Amino acid sequence: MKNDVLIIYGSLNSVPSPEGAAPAKVIYETVESLKYSKFKVLSNYNPKLNSVVYNKDVFLHTKPNVVDTFVLLMIKLLYPYKKRKHKFITSSDEQLQYFVSVCRFLFFNKYDKIIVHVSVGLVSMIKLFFPKREVVFYHHGTSLHTKYDEQQWKQLITNSKAIFAVNKVALGKANSSFKNQLESTRYFGIPNAIIPKLTIEEAKEYYKNRSFSANSFVFAFSGRICVEKGVLNLLYAFQKVYNKNNNVELIVFGAAGTRGIHDVKTDYLLKCHDFAKSNSIPIKFAGFFKNEDLIKRLSQVDVLVLPTDNKLSEEGMPLCLIEALSLGKPIIATDSGGNSEVVKEDENGILIKTNPYVDELAEAMLSLSLDQERHVKFSKEAYTSYIENHSYKSYNEVFIKALKAINFIDE
């Protein structure tokens, strides 16, 4: 066990995740695809796991007990509210109690090499109780430079043997924002990967039998319908496209809510519906679908568009873009976070670099809808870029190389 690597999910979600949390999916598929006997995964217990089939020798779970409650009380006495929130990056007793339960597990299980996903606060607590254990922090966004202050950043890079992240851009943003610098030799960009739900042949078959008219060029959005994702900007752009090319449609997959609450109605969602209705343009709000059903529907469209407003949000490396590539779909995305590391300009799609960006987005959508030869070229390159950069074969090579570089594994 001393040479095993323990992967810990810092969220209150579990691995596997009945809710479908993206980082949990990455952790689960990483371990499943590697089939590497030295990996174990620890996450929070979820009662829904009772109906899920998974390898219980590999995917372990912990839940707080009375001892954890007592330890948490001691921590709260030692660290008053402001100090506690600053050190562990949370004020939630539930989250902190989970951190304590993880440390209890570590006390009885002597893992020396640990990878913590998502939670900087859990890294801090582990190093508080076990200063000699080696910890890698695995970051899933681009927000290192915005979520933490100088002292928290210094604490993170001091506590971490290395930082793994889904993109490379986060390091540059962090080092340009903080006085304390993290050496590039301690930072590893590991692009997200997926296990495809459909083969490329199956995706093409779904496309051939799609219900849209033969002449219709279909754009799609997939994700949460909110201002940060720029959905209303996409509708504005689509209207400009439709005014010049009537043979286009737009399908919006997703909902305004999160974590299983998919029927919530927000002012922003209603604004999107009102705009489409009042302008009589062919936009369909398809709602939320489970991943398997969503992939089948995405295989029937022509292009996936991700119009994230980078003034409001920075993408990590969206799985929706990678799913589109695995289906051979070109992508149009704004230059937000790791999007630029997925979109290969004029190869598998188009990267929108301005902000405000409605006009540039409309121009990109219009040009692609009118240029069949370019669309076919992008489609072929989309699947190639998935295989080369976002399949688990490529992911595993990069992941194992990073682990070897920091001496977490030998073979």
Side-chain angles (χ1 to χ4, degrees):
M1 183 182 294
K2 195 169 186 179
N3 293 321
D4 287 356
V5 177
L6 181 67
I7 300 174
I8 306 176
Y9 190 17
S11 165
L12 288 174
N13 285 314
S14 62
V15 182
S17 172
E19 291 79 18
K25 181 180 179 184
V26 170
I27 297 169
Y28 182 80
E29 292 187 348
T30 296
V31 176
E32 283 286 283
S33 63
L34 280 170
K35 299 189 183 304
Y36 190 79
S37 62
K38 290 188 179 296
F39 283 137
K40 294 290 188 293
V41 176
L42 180 67
S43 62
N44 195 31
Y45 173 74
N46 184 336
K48 293 181 181 179
L49 288 170
N50 294 333
S51 60
V52 176
V53 177
Y54 63 95
N55 188 337
K56 296 181 181 179
D57 293 326
V58 174
F59 298 96
L60 314 173
H61 300 94
T62 183
K63 53 183 175 181
N65 62 21
V66 65
V67 174
D68 301 335
T69 303
F70 176 76
V71 174
L72 177 58
L73 178 59
M74 294 298 100
I75 288 174
K76 293 172 77 169
L77 290 173
L78 287 170
Y79 295 92
Y81 177 79
K82 286 186 178 180
K83 189 176 180 181
R84 182 170 71 248
K85 184 177 180 181
H86 190 267
K87 185 172 182 63
F88 302 115
I89 326 291
T90 180
S91 60
S92 164
D93 281 2
E94 185 182 14
Q95 186 83 49
L96 287 168
Q97 195 166 35
Y98 169 60
F99 292 175
V100 172
S101 72
V102 167
C103 291
R104 170 172 48 82
F105 177 92
L106 291 174
F107 179 80
F108 291 105
N109 298 272
K110 308 300 182 183
Y111 290 95
D112 290 334
K113 300 180 187 300
I114 300 163
I115 301 174
V116 173
H117 282 253
V118 174
S119 178
V120 170
L122 180 53
V123 173
S124 299
M125 189 169 289
I126 290 172
K127 293 299 284 189
L128 175 67
F129 287 107
F130 311 101
K132 292 185 178 181
R133 301 205 189 182
E134 295 182 329
V135 180
V136 167
F137 175 58
Y138 202 128
H139 185 55
H140 285 257
T142 311
S143 56
L144 289 166
H145 64 299
T146 60
K147 281 193 173 180
Y148 314 115
D149 61 26
E150 185 73 46
Q151 187 178 348
Q152 290 168 327
W153 169 247
K154 182 179 179 180
Q155 178 177 267
L156 173 61
I157 63 177
T158 300
N159 285 337
S160 302
K161 185 178 180 70
I163 292 180
F164 291 179
V166 296
N167 62 46
K168 297 177 181 177
V169 68
L171 175 63
K173 288 179 178 290
N175 277 346
S176 64
S177 301
F178 299 119
K179 293 178 182 178
N180 289 279
Q181 302 287 288
L182 177 66
E183 304 91 337
S184 59
T185 54
R186 293 175 55 208
Y187 185 94
F188 298 84
I190 305 175
N192 270 340
I194 64 163
I195 297 174
K197 295 290 190 300
L198 296 178
T199 65
I200 190 64
E201 290 75 20
E202 289 171 331
K204 289 178 179 178
E205 196 62 30
Y206 273 107
Y207 183 82
K208 285 180 184 177
N209 297 315
R210 68 184 191 158
S211 58
F212 305 105
S213 65
N215 297 325
S216 187
F217 191 94
V218 183
F219 298 97
F221 165 85
S222 177
R224 188 180 175 203
I225 302 173
C226 59
V227 64
E228 292 84 2
K229 292 294 184 182
V231 179
L232 196 53
N233 290 333
L234 172 58
L235 304 191
Y236 296 153
F238 180 75
Q239 182 185 37
K240 291 176 178 288
V241 175
Y242 184 70
N243 288 340
K244 296 181 179 180
N245 178 10
N246 292 145
N247 295 321
V248 293
E249 295 181 41
L250 172 63
I251 301 181
V252 178
F253 294 104
T258 58
R259 288 197 180 187
I261 308 173
H262 305 299
D263 57 352
V264 64
K265 297 292 189 292
T266 64
D267 290 341
Y268 187 82
L269 176 64
L270 295 174
K271 198 181 228 184
C272 291
H273 280 277
D274 289 345
F275 178 83
K277 185 177 180 180
S278 62
N279 288 280
S280 300
I281 47 182
I283 299 174
K284 179 181 179 181
F285 292 88
F288 172 81
F289 289 93
K290 290 184 178 180
N291 190 253
E292 293 80 0
D293 294 329
L294 174 63
I295 295 301
K296 291 176 183 177
R297 285 164 173 79
L298 286 177
S299 68
Q300 298 178 330
V301 309
D302 293 286
V303 174
L304 181 78
V305 185
L306 183 60
T308 308
D309 188 337
N310 60 17
K311 291 182 179 178
L312 302 177
S313 178
E314 292 276 10
E315 295 286 357
M317 185 164 284
L319 295 182
C320 68
L321 295 185
I322 300 170
E323 288 169 340
L325 296 181
S326 76
L327 298 169
K329 305 300 174 185
I331 46 183
I332 299 175
T334 51
D335 190 5
S336 172
N339 288 358
S340 61
E341 296 175 28
V342 181
V343 181
K344 307 301 179 186
E345 181 64 33
D346 209 33
E347 292 183 21
N348 63 13
I350 302 172
L351 190 68
I352 307 302
K353 297 182 179 179
T354 60
N355 196 342
Y357 57 82
V358 169
D359 288 341
E360 186 183 355
L361 178 59
E363 183 180 343
M365 293 169 68
L366 179 64
S367 66
L368 200 52
S369 70
L370 295 173
D371 192 338
Q372 183 178 3
E373 185 177 336
R374 192 181 184 207
H375 179 262
V376 170
K377 171 196 166 187
F378 282 6
S379 297
K380 290 179 180 177
E381 186 57 38
Y383 185 70
T384 298
S385 60
Y386 160 70
I387 293 296
E388 292 180 351
N389 303 304
H390 302 290
S391 65
Y392 266 100
K393 182 179 183 297
S394 62
Y395 175 95
N396 291 344
E397 290 173 357
V398 177
F399 184 57
I400 293 299
K401 185 178 180 180
L403 291 174
K404 287 181 178 178
I406 60 172
N407 298 316
F408 256 44
I409 59 174
D410 300 322
E411 49 189 273

